[in-house]
């Protein structure tokens, strides 16, 4: 949170980041008990990156995403491949959402972010085993998790703007 003070971002960006980090941490902690290990790609971790990028900046989203990915790796019994996928896909996702200036551009950014999540998890699957069917299944799961994250980001944006009285570039352009 020291970074947010250095960048002199909106005061609302700190509680928004903390709230979404807490939500993702709770999803990972409780999800690790409920969700089987081979379905972790469906966890909507990407919503954190999208929200932080929109309300703050891409750099802040990437820095906090790295910390969150390490926590997710620990929560899933030291699954560092999963953590690395979150870091790579989250970085690409933050740049997708950083270019958004209008609400109509949120859906294409979410779909592109989902493609990056899918490609990242498919690549990880190919590194672990050279089975193309598993890689395609990992792509579908990663794309699904990224798309769920995008939908949560799009759906929660007006609520967060209202709840924290935060201003986004999209709100200003309207």
């Amino acid at each position: 949170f020291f970074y947010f003070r250095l960048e002199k971002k909106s005061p609302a960006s700190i509680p928004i980041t903390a709230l979404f980090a807490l939500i993702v941490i709770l999803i990972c902690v409780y999800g690790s008990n409920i969700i089987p290990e081979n379905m972790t790609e469906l966890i909507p971790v990407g919503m954190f990156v999208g929200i932080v990028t929109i309300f703050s900046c891409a750099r802040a989203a990437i820095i906090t995403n790295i910390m969150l990915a390490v926590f997710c790796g620990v929560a899933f019994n030291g699954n560092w491949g999963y953590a690395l996928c979150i870091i790579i896909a989250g970085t690409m996702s933050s740049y997708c959402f950083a270019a958004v200036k209008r609400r109509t551009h949120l859906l294409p950014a979410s779909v592109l972010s989902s493609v990056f999540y899918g490609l990242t998890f498919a690549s990880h699957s190919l590194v672990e085993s050279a089975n193309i069917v598993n890689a395609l299944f990992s792509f579908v799961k990663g794309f699904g998790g990224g798309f769920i994250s995008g939908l949560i980001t799009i759906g929660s944006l007006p609520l967060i703007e209202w709840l924290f009285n935060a201003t986004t570039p999209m709100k200003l352009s309207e």
Side-chain angles (χ1 to χ4, degrees):
F1 296 112
F2 177 71
Y3 179 80
F4 291 101
R5 286 190 181 157
L6 277 175
E7 289 291 314
K8 295 185 175 41
K9 292 293 174 188
S10 165
S13 63
I14 294 174
I16 291 169
T17 302
L19 175 70
F20 271 85
L22 182 64
I23 289 170
V24 171
I25 287 170
L26 289 174
I27 288 172
C28 286
V29 166
Y30 291 114
S32 64
N33 296 330
I34 298 169
I35 297 173
E37 181 115 3
N38 63 346
M39 298 299 279
T40 54
E41 295 94 341
L42 290 173
I43 296 176
V45 177
M47 70 178 177
F48 175 75
V49 176
I51 292 292
V52 174
T53 301
I54 290 169
F55 282 98
S56 184
C57 65
R59 265 191 252 155
I62 292 169
I63 290 169
T64 52
N65 183 52
I66 290 170
M67 291 184 282
L68 190 67
V70 169
F71 180 81
C72 289
V74 170
F76 286 104
N77 301 323
N79 190 348
W80 299 114
Y82 178 72
L84 184 62
C85 287
I86 291 174
I87 291 171
I88 294 169
T91 301
M92 297 308 295
S93 180
S94 67
Y95 286 114
C96 292
F97 282 103
V100 172
K101 301 297 180 216
R102 296 180 182 268
R103 290 191 196 276
T104 56
H105 298 152
L106 280 172
L107 186 60
S110 296
V111 170
L112 187 59
S113 171
S114 302
V115 169
F116 283 125
Y117 272 91
L119 288 174
T120 304
F121 283 113
S123 300
H124 178 258
S125 177
L126 283 173
V127 167
E128 284 187 341
S129 70
N131 188 344
I132 194 73
V133 175
N134 286 343
L136 288 174
F137 190 56
S138 291
F139 176 82
V140 170
K141 292 186 296 185
F143 183 86
F147 196 71
I148 291 168
S149 298
L151 291 179
I152 292 172
T153 300
I154 292 169
S156 63
L157 196 58
L159 177 69
I160 296 169
E161 287 175 339
W162 173 78
L163 191 64
F164 291 98
N165 197 20
T167 304
T168 61
M170 292 166 275
K171 193 174 183 180
L172 289 174
S173 69
E174 291 174 352

